Amino acid sequence: MRSIHVPSWVTIVVLSLAGMSGSLQFTLPLPILPSMPAILHISANDASWIITSTLLSSTIATPIVSRMADMYGKRRMLLLSIALMGIGSAIVALSADFATVIVGRSVQGASSALIPIGISLLRDKLPTERANSAVALMSATLGIGSALGLPLSGVLSDAFGWHSVFWASVIAAVLLGALMLVFVTESPLHTGGRFDLTGAVLLSIVLTAALLLLSKFADWPPVVLLALTVIALVGLAGWIPLQLRHKQPMVDLRTAMTRPVLLTNIASVFTGIAMFSNMLLTTQQLLAPVASGHKFGLTMVETGLVMLPSGIVMVALAPVSGRLLDRLGGRPVLILGNAILAAGFVLRIVFDSTVLGVIIVSAVINVGVSFAFSAMPTLIMASVPNTATSAANGVNALVRSLGTAFCSALIGFLIGVMGAPNGGSEFLSMLGLHLCFGIAAASAAIATIIGVFVPRGIRAQVSAPGADGVTQIVV
């Protein structure tokens, strides 16, 4: 059988579509969330688990599946992630009760590994002159996927019912799986070896406790929060020495503590806070009823359409991000992106009286997101062995998720303290909104300062596989 030559642009498109579909899983349920308590006969607080369950599973699965990609093959784990996305979506689409919906949404969350693994595969397979632009495009799929989720879900649910939202995701998973089987080939770089199952289980316990602590600190009693804190700290205390002793750890802490990787990951937390603030706060501002003191009172579909241009900006700027990375390197682009983010949130306080102003400034903010998010994996992959890029990108995605979880919890807490009056108590008041804009600007400014201290990474060299089948690394 003759092998088919696949142009690199086809691989880029297929992987980018997969990444976009993975990011869609987080925003697809948002338009239907207000109606779920009546449909499933649950409380509004219980309905929040439709989002929380996916956040939990994605945060846990991303570093684990990414590590498995380095060991057993990136294409194989991409196909697994697509399959889990389809299976989880099918479970929800066929469900009629709350428990089944949560199971399906939890399975869907594993698809978040598509972006870090896809980025690593592109780096492995593309020539240097194409890699940075491709990585920037793959990073941008997070923005366009999130922006598309609101209008797409709103239109589908209005026309065909809420189950259709998840059937669409099933169809997307089938099509993308087929495209990946035909047009995406495996990376030649992998480590093999034995998977650190104990490390993965301990990490899952620590992350679950930490994320529940972040997301539910305003809702759960202090004794439960204290128990979660103890579980997270004790689990971490056991996990760290285990990773240092293991020959092929779940997370290579020695590499993670090197200056380029550590500082990039710390900056990523603050960038994640700022990025997610834009989506949450813009949604808050546009959806809030006029009676609550806000100016817009848009529907969910209208809100999604207003946010769509900022997502398109991220994709359109991918070639620009790639050229900047080629000419300047990752550190200046990371600094530039976060500086634009910080300035954008300051502008949000000034230009928030018209829909056009919101569209323009949100687009400016996403210019910063596009630059910063393209720089992060570039810096990470330039500082770790070639055979560990998926795991390193997975950890970077994890720390960004922790930033977004903190952002969501903080805004939820401030809604309780600074809720809008006159029936808009589930939305921030104007004062609360401006306070959150200021917090997001400060987070981006902190990331900018940290970026100044990130050195240029030195790529490790990979030798041929050794006699035991495990690729040897020379740093």
Side-chain angles (χ1 to χ4, degrees):
M1 180 182 292
R2 294 177 60 188
S3 60
I4 302 173
H5 173 71
V6 180
S8 59
W9 68 267
V10 175
T11 301
I12 295 170
V13 169
V14 172
L15 292 179
S16 296
L17 288 173
M20 185 178 69
S21 297
S23 63
L24 270 171
Q25 306 311 307
F26 295 92
T27 52
L28 276 176
L30 290 180
I32 63 174
L33 198 61
S35 62
M36 296 311 284
I39 293 172
L40 299 175
H41 308 292
I42 56 176
S43 68
N45 191 49
D46 287 339
S48 68
W49 280 98
I50 296 174
I51 304 298
T52 303
S53 59
T54 309
L55 176 63
L56 279 171
S57 64
S58 66
T59 305
I60 293 167
T62 297
I64 293 174
V65 177
S66 297
R67 176 60 179 144
M68 293 173 70
D70 283 330
M71 298 183 76
Y72 308 125
K74 298 178 178 67
R75 178 178 179 265
R76 183 176 297 174
M77 291 301 112
L78 286 170
L79 288 169
L80 174 64
S81 297
I82 287 287
L84 291 173
M85 184 180 86
I87 292 169
S89 300
I91 291 172
V92 180
L94 294 168
S95 66
D97 62 89
F98 179 56
T100 309
V101 169
I102 295 303
V103 170
R105 289 287 294 157
S106 298
V107 175
Q108 276 184 305
S111 62
S112 61
L114 286 165
I115 293 178
I117 298 174
I119 287 173
S120 299
L121 184 60
L122 288 173
R123 175 65 75 180
D124 290 350
K125 297 183 69 65
L126 296 180
T128 304
E129 63 273 12
R130 298 287 309 274
N132 282 334
S133 294
V135 168
L137 178 60
M138 191 77 188
S139 300
T141 59
L142 180 64
I144 189 65
S146 299
L148 275 175
L150 295 177
L152 178 61
S153 178
V155 170
L156 285 174
S157 59
D158 288 346
F160 305 107
W162 71 273
H163 285 101
S164 66
V165 173
F166 298 97
W167 282 122
S169 189
V170 172
I171 294 170
V174 172
L175 292 176
L176 286 168
L179 289 172
M180 205 170 289
L181 281 169
V182 175
F183 296 113
V184 177
T185 56
E186 186 57 88
S187 166
L189 298 175
H190 61 89
T191 61
R194 185 176 180 181
F195 182 70
D196 179 15
L197 181 59
T198 305
V201 171
L202 268 178
L203 180 62
S204 299
I205 293 171
V206 171
L207 291 176
T208 300
L211 283 169
L212 287 175
L213 187 64
L214 282 174
S215 59
K216 298 297 180 181
F217 78 90
D219 302 323
W220 287 357
V223 64
V224 176
L225 300 179
L226 178 60
L228 289 172
T229 303
V230 171
I231 291 170
L233 292 177
V234 171
L236 191 63
W239 180 75
I240 290 174
L242 176 68
Q243 297 304 285
L244 292 174
R245 290 195 305 267
H246 203 286
K247 291 182 179 180
Q248 291 181 296
M250 178 70 224
V251 176
D252 186 345
L253 293 180
R254 291 182 176 85
T255 300
M257 293 303 294
T258 59
R259 187 177 168 191
V261 177
L262 178 63
L263 291 180
T264 300
N265 281 333
I266 294 174
S268 298
V269 174
F270 292 98
T271 305
I273 293 172
M275 180 277 297
F276 204 57
S277 294
N278 187 41
M279 189 182 81
L280 286 184
L281 297 176
T282 302
T283 303
Q284 278 269 322
Q285 186 178 18
L286 296 173
L287 288 174
V290 175
S292 67
H294 293 270
K295 298 179 174 65
F296 306 118
L298 302 184
T299 66
M300 188 67 78
V301 174
E302 290 169 339
T303 297
L305 292 174
V306 169
M307 296 175 68
L308 189 57
S310 61
I312 295 173
V313 162
M314 287 189 69
V315 175
L317 281 177
V320 178
S321 299
R323 284 195 290 272
L324 287 174
L325 289 168
D326 288 335
R327 300 181 68 175
L328 303 177
R331 179 176 55 181
V333 177
L334 179 67
I335 295 169
L336 174 64
N338 281 299
I340 293 172
L341 258 175
F345 278 107
V346 173
L347 291 175
R348 280 299 303 271
I349 299 174
V350 179
F351 299 101
D352 67 344
S353 60
T354 66
V355 171
L356 180 61
V358 172
I359 291 174
I360 292 173
V361 180
S362 292
V364 170
I365 289 172
N366 267 19
V367 171
V369 173
S370 179
F371 291 162
F373 270 41
S374 64
M376 290 171 194
T378 302
L379 284 166
I380 292 292
M381 290 188 294
S383 307
V384 301
N386 283 346
T387 50
T389 55
S390 289
N393 281 331
V395 172
N396 184 249
L398 164 63
V399 297
R400 290 204 309 266
S401 294
L402 293 175
T404 61
F406 175 79
C407 170
S408 179
L410 178 62
I411 291 175
F413 172 75
L414 290 176
I415 288 173
V417 176
M418 307 178 71
N422 301 322
S425 57
E426 60 192 68
F427 298 94
L428 282 164
S429 65
M430 285 300 296
L431 178 61
L433 193 69
H434 287 168
L435 173 62
C436 288
F437 287 154
I439 293 172
S443 295
I446 292 171
T448 304
I449 295 170
I450 294 172
V452 172
F453 296 95
V454 175
R456 296 182 182 274
I458 301 174
R459 177 168 295 282
Q461 301 299 315
V462 182
S463 70
D468 56 358
V470 178
T471 304
Q472 307 298 313
I473 309 299
V474 181
V475 180

